Amino acid sequence: MSTKERKIRVLIAKPGLDSHDRGAKIVARALRDGGMEVIYTGLRQTPEQIVETALQEDVDVIGLSILSGAHSTLFPKIMQLLKKKGMTDVMVFAGGIIPKEDIPALKKIGIKEVFGPGTPTSTLVEYVKNSLSK
Amino acid sequence: MKQATDIQRLVQGVFHGEKRAIARTISIIENNEPEARKIISLIYPKTGKAHIIGITGPPGAGKSTIVEKLAKELRNREKTVGIIAVDPTSPFTGGAFLGDRVRMQDLSIDEGVYIRSMATRNHPGGLSRATKDAAYVLDAAGKDTIIVETVGAGQSEVEIIKVAHTIVVILAPGLGDDIQAIKAGQMEIGDIFVVNKGDREGADKAVSDIKTALELGTQDKEWKPIVLKTSALTGEGIGEFVETIEKHRAYLRKGALTIHRRANAEIELIDALKQKITQTIIQDLREKGEWVRATEKILAREIDPYSAADSLLKQRPRQPSTR
Amino acid sequence: MFDQKKLAEAKKRRQKWEKTTVPNWLRRHPERQKDFQTVSGIPLKRLYTPEDIKEMDYSKDLGYPGEPPFTRGVHATMYRGRFWTMRMFAGFGTAEQTNQRFKYLLKEGETGLSVAFDYPTIMGYDSDHAMSLGEVGQCGVAVSHLKDMEILFDGIPLDKVSTSMTINGPAPMLLGMYICVGDKQGVPREKLAGTTQNDNLKEFFAQKLCIFPPKPSLKLSTDVIEYCARHVPNWNPVSISGYHIREAGSNAVQELAFTLADGIAYVESTLERGLKVDEFAGRLSFFFACHNNFFEEIAKFRAARRIWARIMRDRFKAKNPRSMWMRMHVQTSGCTLTPQQPVNNAIRTAFQALAAVLGGTQSLHTNSFDEALCLPTEEAVTVALRTQQLIAHESGVTDTIDPLGGSYFVEALTDEMEERAMSYIDKIESMGGVISGIEKGFFQKEIADSSYKYQKEVERHDRTVVGVNDYTVEKDWVPVDLLRIPPHVEREQLARLERVRQGRNQQKVKQSLDKLFDDADKNRNLMPTIVEALKAYVTIGEITDVLRSVYGEYKELIVV
């Protein structure tokens, strides 16, 4: 056993009832093509399911995708659960339809970055790689 | 980034079945981090209790659905379950899409089930290099049964015999040539064959075809492989499937398990030695520049690889014998 | 169609043009791209000429409006008689709030209602379900029981409006509620006009709002079709949809083909109930997206009508021309709208709306320019409605039928789309049909691949998205007042739900649910029992729970 074999592990999650998965799937695929190991949760995940999956899979990053407006309720729940389970070292970013005016509050609870529609996938891949190399 | 690990605390956490400890430990081993060896040395003595079931078979047969049903049934019988689901790493990008877990959603918040997805990271044979070690972790964490789901690509998927005690091959009618789908390798390693999607046309024929094929190849085996029919969707046959697994476990306990374990121990020792030897020797050769020289000679077709290896080894200084 | 001698002459001229005039010009002015294609990958020539439509048989392939194959239009006078229905999709917050928006839109000139329900309602959860937390009223109106529905249509006479309801799994319940409201208003059921989307098949690979597995879902859709054929004859029981397929990432040909394949499945399913094709086919309606590529979309709509007419006549042996007609609703594309420089969206929507009109739609929803930011504000939705009114009254395109008919390009493109779509349809048939395709992940893979391909084209700048990968601005103008749904909306909704639950005849509720279970178990048409249950103020969640216990829940086959 010699060389380290580190891979970035990412969880792409769809919290709540929002059923738009086109973006989440594209991001999952792009991150995979960027050399990462990606788990996509599928639709309609509760905060508990998302955090439990992140825990067992020991992911480095969680990407939350939501277009339904329910982020104000669901994201705080997810961040609280992560804290409770001692997982504050997991980086969380978000995407979808999230009004700019909501972003400061989300950053305050620990969402590192919010990416809007039109963000090139290459930007995301770079962002994840750079953030984790720090 | 992840905090520095306190190995002892981590290992104790594993022994107590703490999920975060299990998760972190598997990652350390998978990533080949410096603490990995130490951790395995601490964990290994506590392994050997869990029954490890390998689930293999072609894509589309419904492996993940069967695993979910199997786990649920085991939970009904008050067993704790660890699941390792392996998916292929792309040889081009180095990335992987780990999509088995999502097919086992019903288990997602069952406290008695731990699921870990692993990518092959280009290791051949249907599993990743660290799958075996990850199974050790779950074993040491107290899981009664560990289910390992292989990639499912085909006939070269025989790595599973190094890991599992009971090997299950899952097939389904209509996936193409039913018998061709069970390539030679899988026919030989399967202890239990399951024809899933049993409500579909061709299922009964597949069962009888497999039975015939097995009779030809396994006449002198002590455990005669059993062929079952299930429907993961309706639940039909799952009870019998679990019973059969228990039967195999009992058979192993009668003695075959020791033989199996001894054989495995030898295989593991060989693997470990291989790794150690190649690592030490190659590192040394690289440092001395001999590695590059040898590769250049091979490239220039001045020497073939085997002769080069002979030559390099002959040149190595012997260890001084102790007096 | 053309004189052979004159055609040969035209061909000779074309060849000369290609050998001389064109290369001369290209030497000094190269074309912008190496090749040109539609979004679906259909190659576009530099120029289309009579040669491209020389096989066309006018009477057979185009015909006349109001007669099969309806290529040029489903009604004899089209917009000269009546404009398309201006039907703006609306819904948010509580029933009261949406009722206000309905009245506003009607006052501003819309001619049909279209209801957007919130996610909990769409998934068959009452507003107080654990999964509904944070979602109540966010993307549509919250409706859990008949009282909500009564408030939603308060002051709106159901014999004077037609209403489209975007609802799939719970379509039987929402249609049931609409019927109950109509009953209360004293409107005979034969006079109720509108549509339930009720297209469960596409949920499995497009909109993803699946509750039950494919077979029971198809059963429920068919229950509604059968019930309406017998009892609510002016209602369109299903809106066979391509919109969501397109929004999920498919191209135009896939949108067309997969929608028609779904249509075939619904016809077959209803025929299995013993109904004759002419008893129900005339009320099957369709719903497409309208995307950016102007002519591809127009060709798509024309090809759609022609293909469907041929399928109904040749495959299903329909005799009544109305069984062969394809009436459609179109919505301008949501996914082409951008949060960057939102005013551009109004213009995108205008072009898309124009294409839908030139394509001959019966009903149209235009998106609001703030759609990519939030729920549409009153100002934005007014502009969207005006877009339709401007086309109707100021552009002149509505003064003659199918004005693009006969265009060498449009006819060639219509033919090409038909051919490519039919190829897909044949493939789906050989696979065993739509449900088989869903189980195999066929549609999901096609859509995921198209979607990823499109994304990559945008990222490589092979495709320009104005304001996003080109013509970007540092400081963007964004609307200040977004429409937000405050938390008290959820609280109010829950309070009403509680009151309704308390105020019911509990005995009747239990009896209704027991009967429902029995009917579902015995595979009967559930509509009559559902209508009765709703009258007793049984909730959508309660009904869905019973159905879940019989049919199980769907587990998505994930294809990335």
Side-chain angles (χ1 to χ4, degrees):
Chain A
M1 298 213 210
S2 52
T3 46
K4 260 177 79 156
E5 278 179 49
R6 202 146 187 351
K7 296 271 182 179
I8 299 174
R9 285 170 68 92
V10 187
L11 180 66
I12 299 295
K14 292 287 304 173
L17 298 178
D18 170 33
S19 71
H20 298 88
D21 59 4
R22 176 177 180 174
K25 285 185 172 182
I26 287 177
V27 169
R29 197 159 161 169
L31 294 176
R32 193 264 319 263
D33 289 348
M36 304 182 206
E37 293 176 352
V38 183
I39 298 164
Y40 167 57
T41 62
L43 296 168
R44 293 184 274 278
Q45 299 291 298
T46 61
E48 290 77 13
Q49 282 173 310
I50 293 171
V51 173
E52 186 62 27
T53 301
L55 173 65
Q56 291 183 17
E57 300 287 355
D58 198 31
V59 300
D60 302 296
V61 190
I62 300 175
L64 299 171
S65 159
I66 197 161
L67 288 82
S68 63
H71 53 275
S72 332
T73 314
L74 295 172
F75 286 11
K77 273 203 158 32
I78 293 170
M79 299 312 289
Q80 269 162 34
L81 277 170
L82 285 172
K83 195 159 172 209
K84 200 165 138 209
K85 304 264 177 176
M87 293 168 67
T88 47
D89 53 352
V90 178
M91 182 182 82
V92 184
F93 72 87
I97 301 287
I98 297 173
K100 275 206 165 74
E101 60 200 33
D102 292 358
I103 296 179
L106 294 178
K107 285 195 166 167
K108 227 165 149 200
I109 59 170
I111 310 271
K112 275 290 291 292
E113 195 57 74
V114 177
F115 295 98
T119 306
T121 51
S122 48
T123 305
L124 276 168
V125 173
E126 284 316 305
Y127 177 79
V128 171
K129 284 186 175 161
N130 292 339
S131 307
L132 292 178
S133 67
K134 293 205 181 89
Chain B
M1 278 304 292
K2 300 280 162 61
Q3 290 124 2
T5 47
D6 174 351
I7 295 179
Q8 285 300 343
R9 211 151 56 102
L10 209 54
V11 169
Q12 285 309 311
V14 169
F15 293 154
H16 287 115
E18 281 166 22
K19 281 186 285 191
R20 187 109 166 103
I22 295 172
R24 289 260 61 236
T25 309
I26 294 179
S27 296
I28 289 172
I29 293 172
E30 189 177 40
N31 292 331
N32 224 352
E33 286 174 36
E35 308 96 332
R37 279 290 211 80
K38 181 91 173 94
I39 288 174
I40 293 181
S41 72
L42 292 169
I43 283 180
Y44 195 80
K46 292 271 174 106
T47 61
K49 296 164 298 178
H51 180 204
I52 305 178
I53 304 170
I55 307 278
T56 186
K63 289 193 294 297
S64 299
T65 333
I66 290 282
V67 170
E68 192 192 39
K69 281 283 183 315
L70 174 57
K72 274 183 174 169
E73 186 54 40
L74 290 167
R75 291 295 294 133
N76 284 342
R77 296 170 191 223
E78 317 258 313
K79 299 263 200 291
T80 54
V81 181
I83 299 173
I84 300 172
V86 187
D87 273 310
T89 294
S90 159
F92 308 111
T93 65
F97 189 71
L98 307 177
D100 294 322
R101 184 194 193 98
V102 82
R103 293 185 208 153
M104 306 180 208
Q105 299 267 18
D106 290 354
L107 304 170
S108 64
I109 35 177
D110 182 338
E111 283 300 310
V113 180
Y114 187 103
I115 304 174
R116 179 70 175 230
S117 311
M118 298 181 83
T120 55
R121 297 193 181 178
N122 296 315
H123 187 81
L127 296 178
S128 76
R129 177 195 55 77
T131 304
K132 186 158 41 78
D133 297 329
Y136 287 150
V137 175
L138 291 170
D139 191 346
K143 300 296 171 212
D144 297 314
T145 310
I146 298 168
I147 305 171
V148 177
E149 184 186 335
T150 70
V151 166
Q155 68 196 83
S156 55
E157 285 221 335
V158 292
E159 277 283 289
I160 189 70
I161 51 172
K162 291 185 187 174
V163 178
H165 305 126
T166 302
I167 305 210
V168 181
V169 182
I170 314 266
L171 301 153
L175 285 183
D177 302 308
D178 297 321
I179 294 302
Q180 294 312 314
I182 337 160
K183 308 294 181 174
Q186 288 181 343
M187 279 304 276
E188 287 167 31
I189 63 170
D191 298 307
I192 303 172
F193 289 79
V194 174
V195 174
N196 190 29
K197 306 195 183 182
D199 46 302
R200 292 225 181 137
E201 220 188 289
D204 289 323
K205 182 175 182 301
V207 170
S208 66
D209 283 348
I210 297 167
K211 279 187 176 155
T212 315
L214 284 172
E215 259 151 53
L216 297 171
T218 62
Q219 278 136 349
D220 51 359
K221 274 197 174 177
E222 219 180 62
W223 168 269
K224 296 269 183 285
I226 295 183
V227 187
L228 301 169
K229 194 173 78 162
T230 60
S231 166
L233 271 178
T234 64
E236 175 209 336
I238 300 292
E240 204 193 334
F241 178 39
V242 177
E243 290 302 330
T244 311
I245 292 175
E246 288 301 309
K247 273 204 194 109
H248 191 253
R249 188 179 192 170
Y251 154 77
L252 288 171
R253 283 212 157 111
K254 276 208 292 249
L257 190 58
T258 324
I259 300 170
H260 184 277
R261 284 196 171 141
R262 181 174 296 276
N264 252 21
E266 294 196 9
I267 292 173
E268 291 186 60
L269 186 55
I270 293 173
D271 276 349
L273 272 170
K274 269 191 202 160
Q275 278 183 52
K276 182 73 189 175
I277 291 171
T278 16
Q279 177 206 324
T280 341
I281 294 184
I282 291 179
Q283 203 172 307
D284 191 46
L285 291 171
R286 281 195 206 269
E287 278 168 17
K288 296 211 178 84
E290 290 177 46
W291 182 265
V292 174
R293 280 197 285 279
T295 16
E296 290 298 320
K297 278 199 177 154
I298 295 171
L299 265 171
R301 289 198 132 64
E302 285 171 28
I303 190 172
D304 74 273
Y306 304 104
S307 308
D310 278 343
S311 166
L312 286 170
L313 283 172
K314 273 210 191 91
Q315 285 169 337
R316 292 193 69 69
R318 286 181 177 284
Q319 295 281 50
S321 52
T322 51
R323 280 193 210 273
Chain C
M1 291 293 308
F2 299 106
D3 179 90
Q4 288 307 312
K5 226 172 117 220
K6 292 223 147 76
L7 196 62
E9 211 180 284
K11 178 171 178 178
K12 257 179 80 190
R13 284 288 299 272
R14 183 202 23 103
Q15 287 166 331
K16 183 160 169 286
W17 172 73
E18 279 172 355
K19 286 202 179 76
T20 53
T21 315
V22 174
N24 283 343
W25 191 263
L26 285 177
R27 260 193 288 279
R28 281 174 295 145
H29 308 280
E31 285 186 327
R32 291 179 284 115
Q33 289 164 210
K34 193 163 154 284
D35 345 77
F36 290 79
Q37 298 175 344
T38 66
V39 171
S40 311
I42 299 175
L44 291 171
K45 291 182 177 182
R46 182 172 293 123
L47 183 74
Y48 287 79
T49 70
E51 294 173 71
D52 294 299
I53 57 168
K54 64 179 190 277
E55 305 297 333
M56 184 170 82
D57 175 338
Y58 183 85
S59 302
K60 205 165 130 272
D61 299 328
L62 294 189
Y64 292 86
E67 291 176 3
F70 300 106
T71 319
R72 306 198 72 180
V74 285
H75 298 303
T77 59
M78 287 303 290
Y79 308 134
R80 281 167 66 115
R82 212 177 63 183
F83 293 126
W84 60 90
T85 309
M86 300 184 190
R87 195 184 286 285
M88 301 295 284
F89 192 43
F92 52 85
T94 57
E96 285 90 345
Q97 286 175 280
T98 303
N99 177 267
Q100 294 292 347
R101 179 58 72 88
F102 282 170
K103 288 177 170 149
Y104 174 78
L105 289 167
L106 288 168
K107 179 168 75 76
E108 290 307 317
E110 85 163 351
T111 44
L113 294 174
S114 175
V115 190
F117 297 99
D118 70 1
Y119 267 118
T121 307
I122 289 173
M123 292 305 297
Y125 294 123
D126 290 332
S127 303
D128 61 352
H129 193 278
M131 291 298 288
S132 304
L133 190 61
E135 314 254 13
V136 175
Q138 289 290 337
C139 286
V141 64
V143 172
S144 298
H145 46 74
L146 183 55
K147 190 100 192 87
D148 286 332
M149 199 74 166
E150 286 163 359
I151 295 170
L152 186 61
F153 288 96
D154 180 52
I156 296 175
L158 297 195
D159 55 350
K160 299 276 191 322
V161 292
S162 67
T163 305
S164 174
M165 297 195 278
T166 297
I167 190 83
N168 292 281
M173 289 77 106
L174 273 309
L175 174 60
M177 284 191 196
Y178 197 84
I179 290 172
C180 293
V181 173
D183 284 351
K184 264 212 174 137
Q185 285 185 2
V187 178
R189 291 182 183 185
E190 313 82 66
K191 280 198 118 196
L192 293 176
T195 306
T196 27
Q197 191 167 92
N198 188 37
D199 172 8
N200 282 312
L201 290 174
K202 61 102 166 58
E203 295 303 325
F204 294 100
F205 53 89
Q207 194 167 223
K208 307 288 181 76
L209 300 169
C210 337
I211 307 178
F212 318 107
K215 292 200 176 96
S217 300
L218 178 57
K219 185 251 185 228
L220 289 173
S221 287
T222 315
D223 276 0
V224 174
I225 298 173
E226 185 186 33
Y227 185 80
C228 288
R230 299 194 206 282
H231 305 287
V232 201
N234 273 318
W235 190 263
N236 302 312
V238 63
S239 180
I240 305 162
S241 306
Y243 179 83
H244 319 82
I245 298 172
R246 194 64 187 275
E247 291 285 291
S250 84
N251 60 42
V253 170
Q254 291 164 332
E255 179 194 351
L256 180 55
F258 298 172
T259 308
L260 292 168
D262 286 344
I264 291 171
Y266 289 120
V267 173
E268 285 178 337
S269 181
T270 312
L271 289 173
E272 278 168 26
R273 299 279 176 112
L275 281 149
K276 301 229 178 7
V277 71
D278 290 315
E279 287 179 290
F280 66 90
R283 277 278 160 221
L284 300 174
S285 66
F286 289 78
F287 174 27
F288 291 105
C290 198
H291 250 241
N292 284 331
N293 193 306
F294 196 72
F295 292 107
E296 184 175 46
E297 297 300 302
I298 294 169
K300 178 184 81 187
F301 300 130
R302 300 170 91 249
R305 282 193 291 272
R306 185 162 72 203
I307 300 174
W308 186 249
R310 289 178 172 163
I311 290 175
M312 292 310 288
R313 182 195 60 203
D314 300 335
R315 178 175 174 155
F316 293 112
K317 312 284 187 251
K319 296 284 181 286
N320 187 340
R322 284 191 170 204
S323 302
M324 304 176 216
W325 72 7
M326 172 194 267
R327 295 159 311 127
M328 63 175 80
H329 170 77
V330 172
Q331 174 165 339
T332 59
S333 160
C335 68
T336 53
L337 303 184
T338 62
Q340 298 88 343
Q341 300 175 42
V343 177
N344 293 344
N345 295 329
I347 302 161
R348 289 186 176 103
T349 300
F351 294 150
Q352 293 165 1
L354 184 59
V357 168
L358 290 171
T361 187
Q362 280 56 62
S363 170
L364 180 61
H365 161 95
T366 31
N367 286 330
S368 304
F369 64 78
D370 54 2
E371 207 79 59
L373 296 168
C374 220
L375 288 165
T377 54
E378 211 170 74
E379 294 75 20
V381 82
T382 310
V383 171
L385 180 55
R386 294 285 177 258
T387 307
Q388 297 195 42
Q389 290 157 340
L390 286 161
I391 295 174
H393 297 282
E394 293 189 7
S395 74
V397 305
T398 51
D399 297 344
T400 188
I401 302 174
D402 188 36
L404 290 174
S407 148
Y408 311 123
F409 174 41
V410 170
E411 296 302 349
L413 195 51
T414 304
D415 290 346
E416 186 65 35
M417 292 209 70
E418 177 175 358
E419 198 181 306
R420 288 176 182 233
M422 280 314 296
S423 170
Y424 262 118
I425 290 173
D426 290 337
K427 189 168 185 187
I428 295 163
E429 288 298 291
S430 70
M431 222 180 267
V434 170
I435 290 196
S436 185
I438 290 171
E439 287 170 352
K440 293 188 161 87
F442 169 73
F443 303 103
Q444 297 88 317
K445 180 102 181 51
E446 290 278 321
I447 290 170
D449 287 347
S450 281
S451 154
Y452 198 65
K453 177 168 173 280
Y454 184 88
Q455 179 71 19
K456 284 294 159 196
E457 285 169 2
V458 171
E459 290 185 13
R460 284 193 307 258
H461 283 242
D462 289 344
R463 191 174 289 286
T464 302
V465 182
V466 173
V468 174
N469 68 0
D470 213 342
Y471 307 108
T472 53
V473 291
E474 275 302 313
K475 225 173 150 271
D476 205 342
W477 175 86
V478 253
V480 176
D481 295 310
L482 296 177
L483 176 53
R484 309 300 300 266
I485 306 296
H488 70 79
V489 163
E490 187 157 331
R491 286 196 296 270
E492 278 164 28
Q493 181 62 14
L494 292 178
R496 175 156 64 225
L497 177 55
E498 190 50 36
R499 285 197 298 275
V500 167
R501 279 201 217 270
Q502 296 301 340
R504 307 180 290 184
N505 178 331
Q506 306 301 342
Q507 180 81 303
K508 268 215 179 111
V509 168
K510 183 172 184 317
Q511 275 167 2
S512 310
L513 291 173
D514 288 343
K515 175 127 197 346
L516 180 64
F517 181 86
D518 191 52
D519 283 347
D521 195 44
K522 306 270 193 322
N523 212 30
R524 298 186 195 113
N525 189 317
L526 301 179
M527 282 303 297
T529 307
I530 288 178
V531 171
E532 286 315 303
L534 293 167
K535 287 201 162 144
Y537 293 92
V538 171
T539 68
I540 286 184
E542 286 161 349
I543 294 175
T544 311
D545 283 344
V546 167
L547 298 180
R548 267 191 255 259
S549 71
V550 178
Y551 301 132
E553 271 187 333
Y554 177 65
K555 282 191 183 177
E556 189 190 348
L557 171 66
I558 297 197
V559 178
V560 171

